[in-house]
Amino acid sequence: MKNKIYTIEVENNEPQSVEKIIEKIRENKIIYVKSKFYEDKYVLDAITENGPAIILNSSGSSGTPRQCFHHLDNLKLSAAASGQWLIEQGFELQNCLILNTLPLNHISGLMSIFRSQTWGCDCINISPNFIKNTRKLLLFTIKSKKNKKHLITSLVPTQLQRLLAQKDGISWLKIFDLIWVGGASISDETAGQCIQEKIKLAPCYGSTETSAMVTSLKPKEFLMGFKNVGEILPDTKIRINEQGLIEIKSARIGIEIIDSSKTKNFKNKNGWWCTGDLGEINQINNSLYLNFLGRSDNAFNSGGEIVFPKVIESRLNDFIMKENIPINKFNISKVSNKLWGNKIEVIVEFRELTNNKNIEIYLNLLKKFSQSWPKHEKPEKWIVKSKNTITEKINYKFKK
């Protein structure tokens, strides 16, 4: 028997979407939480799994993007594990206040709901526009904290970079007792600035498949200069296989949706899930710490999200064929970006006899097409190269 999937489209972390998610979970429904800006090729309306459950699009450590299905118990186990870790650091869970700055279709944004319910504490959602007004944000947070003992949030590195660029942003970061930072490795420059300002970061590692973090560094260790993603949480085992890949064993690993009547375990028969990430485990003071070394494939991190060049390549190829754009070939490259960590640039080679005026028309058509893509996938730059040279021939600035 198939059970209905209820799709909830979210813009970010708006209160009405939170209410819808909680309502459907209480009704034991299966919810697909998706970004309203994400276009699905195939949308399932039913599945042979039981609720209550959550479906999210994963761009984490799997090697390819896919849909991840989590029974509610997985999210509760994740919240309990992070809560137990906090208790060991001296936090009183009911005296915590969570400020969620992440979208609900992001596992860490979604987990703020279940952490607050499991820990018995309050959670306030901070919109993208509000986080940009750092003065108002600072005053609001000071007022909201009131008699709460511990202030907690989760950020992706892009948000952290933007906040560090403003005086009130730095002041806001400094009032937190713990700031989980996941999704990408922070640069030495960013880490150094946070240590200098005594900002209590807790770099962590996890994915959609693992119901968020499976390791976390203590803020005091970060301030001491530890350069890793922290201790392995008590409910999880991690090992490094012969290829250097991170393998995870935990009761809260989800399952992959193949189609409406078929799912697949991420874990193998022995309970281990092999990620697409390289890592190493180091023992420090009788505890095991994970060091994230990077991706094993050509995917890369951009602002806390994974970019899969092959996916973008396929998307572009389909559009070029559909619109009959006279391009011989194109290449997708990764370029460094201070704010995002990495962004993409697309290098295109037009067919011979395509004049500059038409090139500009076609480039603007490609730019318009890419505007609907997620922010981390939007090209930073489009470069036109001639057939017989590797030097840049035309670098158009797109018309706004």
Side-chain angles (χ1 to χ4, degrees), residues 4-5 12 22 24 27 32 62 67 74 82 119 132 140 155 164-165 173 190 224 226 282 290 293 303 323 340 357:
K4 180 178 172 62
I5 296 173
N12 199 271
I22 292 173
K24 292 300 179 187
E27 295 173 359
Y32 171 31
S62 58
Q67 283 196 324
N74 286 6
S82 56
W119 302 350
K132 291 173 184 175
F140 171 81
L155 300 172
L164 287 170
L173 292 167
T190 299
M224 288 167 59
F226 282 39
N282 300 310
L290 179 66
L293 300 177
E323 299 294 329
W340 289 80
K357 182 178 179 181

Side-chain angles (χ1 to χ4, degrees), residues 1-5 28-30 46-53 55 69-71 255-257 259-265:
M1 178 182 172
K2 293 184 180 180
N3 292 303
K4 180 178 172 62
I5 296 173
N28 293 326
K29 305 299 184 184
I30 298 172
I47 192 171
T48 54
E49 292 286 336
N50 296 320
I55 298 171
F69 182 100
H70 278 293
H71 288 289
I255 57 178
E256 180 183 2
I257 297 175
D259 56 42
S260 62
S261 57
K262 186 179 179 182
T263 58
K264 176 184 174 184
N265 277 321

Side-chain angles (χ1 to χ4, degrees), residues 325-364:
I325 300 175
I327 289 176
N328 273 334
K329 58 185 178 181
F330 63 89
N331 183 57
I332 295 166
S333 301
K334 177 180 72 171
V335 291
S336 296
N337 182 283
K338 187 172 182 180
L339 180 60
W340 289 80
N342 298 292
K343 290 286 283 182
I344 69 166
E345 67 178 18
V346 183
I347 304 164
V348 296
E349 181 184 300
F350 283 88
R351 294 175 194 162
E352 288 186 52
L353 305 179
T354 308
N355 62 42
N356 285 2
K357 182 178 179 181
N358 284 334
I359 285 175
E360 184 173 4
I361 291 170
Y362 289 128
L363 284 176
N364 278 290

Side-chain angles (χ1 to χ4, degrees), residues 185 205 244-246 275-279 291-297 299:
S185 301
Y205 175 82
L245 296 171
I246 298 169
T275 73
D277 296 329
L278 298 167
N291 188 17
F292 172 73
L293 300 177
R295 299 281 309 188
S296 64
D297 51 25

Side-chain angles (χ1 to χ4, degrees), residues 19 69 99 197 266 375 378:
E19 291 170 7
F69 182 100
L99 264 63
E197 296 288 351
F266 290 124
K375 288 181 181 179
K378 289 180 182 178

Side-chain angles (χ1 to χ4, degrees), residues 180-244:
W180 277 309
V181 182
S185 301
I186 60 172
S187 67
D188 289 343
E189 181 184 351
T190 299
Q193 184 180 356
C194 289
I195 291 171
Q196 184 179 356
E197 296 288 351
K198 295 183 171 56
I199 295 167
K200 300 179 181 72
L201 291 192
C204 55
Y205 175 82
S207 68
T208 306
E209 291 88 343
T210 60
S211 312
M213 74 184 83
V214 290
T215 76
S216 182
L217 192 65
K218 300 180 183 76
K220 65 180 181 182
E221 292 171 332
F222 170 77
L223 293 173
M224 288 167 59
F226 282 39
K227 292 184 178 180
N228 56 55
V229 289
E231 274 184 290
I232 301 167
L233 296 190
D235 71 330
T236 299
K237 292 181 180 179
I238 293 179
R239 68 186 184 188
I240 309 300
N241 69 18
E242 292 180 355
Q243 289 75 42

